[in-house]
Amino acid sequence: MAHKIKDIAAALGVAPQGDGELTVSGLAEPAMAAPDELALASNPAYAETLAHGAARAALLWDGADWQGLGLAAAICVGRPRYAMAALTRLYDAAWEAAGAPSQHPTAVIAPDAAVEAVALGPYTVIGPGVVIEAGARIGSHVSIGAGTRIGADAFIRDGVRITHGVRIGARVVIQPGAVLGGDGFSFVTPEPSSAETVRETLGKESEAAQQPWARIHSLGGVEIGDDVEIGAGSSIDRGTIRATRIGTGTKIDSLVQVGHNAEIGQHCLLCGQVGIAGSAKIGDFVILGGQSGVVDNISIGDRVVTGAGTLCMSNVPAGRVMLGSPATQMTASIESYKALRRLPRDLAALKKAVSKLRGSD
């Protein structure tokens, strides 16, 4: 997939530097770039490695001396990392290979499903009453349950499982192996269970009777806003009565679990292995670092950021930066960690001082 420098620059909204007619067939790190590849030298440190490769053109920062770097052409942008969003899409063959709407002969489609203007891969199963809007691409071995609706230009990749009654917005991307709309993990006992009594007593020994668990069935759905991305192997459970909701623009990494009735706001970022328990409410523009956890029935305010491995066990006000388990404000968590690291040294010094005092008696 080859593009001229002038066309790439136009796609990024900037003017090309040098030979705009130069064609590059791919992207590469500077030290490994071939003559027909665009080197991604987004800062001076990367640019120093250009001499180890053979690139004739590079993506650089504004004001870079591209001629001094020995290049024939360059594309200079104010924020190279942001430019990579559009640049990498140009070279993503899987993304661009949409093709004309088509249905593979092995696809199984319910007679009343509306899927005329979409691409369906091999062995995909489309249930009764499903509506898939124009321009959507459905990969191979995908199953879509009855009554589900998928918006225009969605990209559902291989092996995704979508159960009945799910609502998915426009331009949503779902990576392989994700599951949307599985039943929530919701069970109850005839009398208060040990989990309930422990929560009330905060750790005292439980005297709850041994009881069987009864399923609370999941009658709600899942609602996914526009421009959402869901990573490989992630799971979003359907609600009990109302729907589990993911807001517009939110991006979910691989192996993320969103429990039943949870509400995720708009333009959030949920990193790998994040777990959100049932009925938790996450505000807008929240970033949850990898392996962060949110317990059930609490609220996380807008613009909250958590570091990796943070466990939120109570409500977090808007704008807070949190770290640790249980979560505390990051500044306090770091100071606590520093104090813990200093403790053996400080304790040794204290023992030495006390020993001297005793020796002077």
Side-chain angles (χ1 to χ4, degrees):
M1 187 181 296
H3 298 281
K4 292 182 178 180
I5 291 295
K6 66 177 184 181
D7 296 329
I8 297 172
L12 300 180
V14 297
Q17 306 294 320
D19 184 4
E21 297 294 327
L22 183 66
T23 298
V24 287
S25 59
L27 310 175
E29 294 183 5
M32 296 183 284
D36 65 338
E37 292 179 315
L38 182 70
L40 303 178
S42 56
N43 59 51
Y46 281 126
E48 289 178 2
T49 67
L50 279 167
H52 299 295
R56 301 176 62 205
L59 177 74
L60 301 171
W61 63 98
D62 265 348
D65 181 9
W66 61 274
Q67 292 171 310
L69 293 169
L71 298 169
I75 300 170
C76 299
V77 295
R79 182 161 157 74
R81 182 167 174 77
Y82 185 73
M84 284 181 64
L87 183 59
T88 52
R89 179 162 182 162
L90 283 175
Y91 285 93
D92 189 343
W95 193 278
E96 294 302 321
S102 61
Q103 298 173 5
H104 194 275
T106 61
V108 179
I109 307 166
D112 63 346
V115 295
E116 293 181 3
V118 303
L120 297 179
Y123 301 103
T124 285
V125 178
I126 308 297
V130 168
V131 176
I132 306 178
E133 296 183 14
R137 288 171 283 166
I138 313 297
S140 66
H141 297 86
V142 172
S143 62
I144 301 175
T148 284
R149 188 178 191 102
I150 297 176
D153 299 314
F155 190 7
I156 314 298
R157 306 193 78 158
D158 300 345
V160 170
R161 300 287 181 258
I162 302 171
T163 66
H164 64 283
V166 174
R167 297 290 181 266
I168 296 174
R171 299 172 301 280
V172 168
V173 178
I174 306 178
Q175 298 292 345
V179 178
L180 276 65
D183 285 348
F185 191 69
S186 190
F187 298 88
V188 66
T189 50
E191 300 295 333
S193 69
S194 56
E196 293 172 271
T197 57
V198 164
R199 174 171 287 192
E200 289 180 3
T201 61
L202 297 179
K204 291 183 181 178
E205 229 174 277
S206 171
E207 297 181 0
Q210 299 180 37
Q211 307 171 77
W213 296 97
R215 163 188 285 274
I216 297 177
H217 289 255
S218 299
L219 306 182
V222 171
E223 297 176 0
I224 308 294
D226 297 338
D227 300 300
V228 170
E229 299 207 14
I230 299 170
S234 288
S235 175
I236 301 175
D237 292 346
R238 66 193 313 109
T240 304
I241 302 299
R242 59 179 170 83
T244 301
R245 297 186 177 95
I246 310 296
T248 290
T250 285
K251 314 301 182 187
I252 297 176
D253 198 0
S254 300
L255 301 176
V256 169
Q257 162 70 20
V258 179
H260 62 282
N261 297 346
E263 295 184 22
I264 314 300
Q266 299 185 43
H267 304 289
C268 296
L269 198 68
L270 310 185
C271 300
Q273 299 185 348
V274 159
I276 297 176
S279 298
K281 186 172 182 179
I282 312 297
D284 299 332
F285 301 98
V286 170
I287 299 174
L288 300 181
Q291 295 190 330
S292 290
V294 178
V295 303
D296 59 292
N297 293 286
I298 69 168
S299 296
I300 306 297
D302 296 345
R303 307 181 313 283
V304 165
V305 178
T306 70
T310 298
L311 178 58
C312 298
M313 301 181 69
S314 59
N315 296 337
V316 179
R320 290 278 176 89
V321 181
M322 309 296 288
L323 182 65
S325 177
T328 56
Q329 291 194 64
M330 185 174 284
T331 51
S333 180
I334 291 172
E335 287 305 313
S336 296
Y337 177 70
K338 288 179 179 178
L340 185 63
R341 290 288 301 271
R342 291 194 300 264
L343 185 59
R345 182 191 63 194
D346 293 346
L347 185 58
L350 181 60
K351 286 181 176 179
K352 187 176 180 179
V354 170
S355 178
K356 286 182 177 180
L357 288 173
R358 286 177 176 173
S360 63
D361 290 344

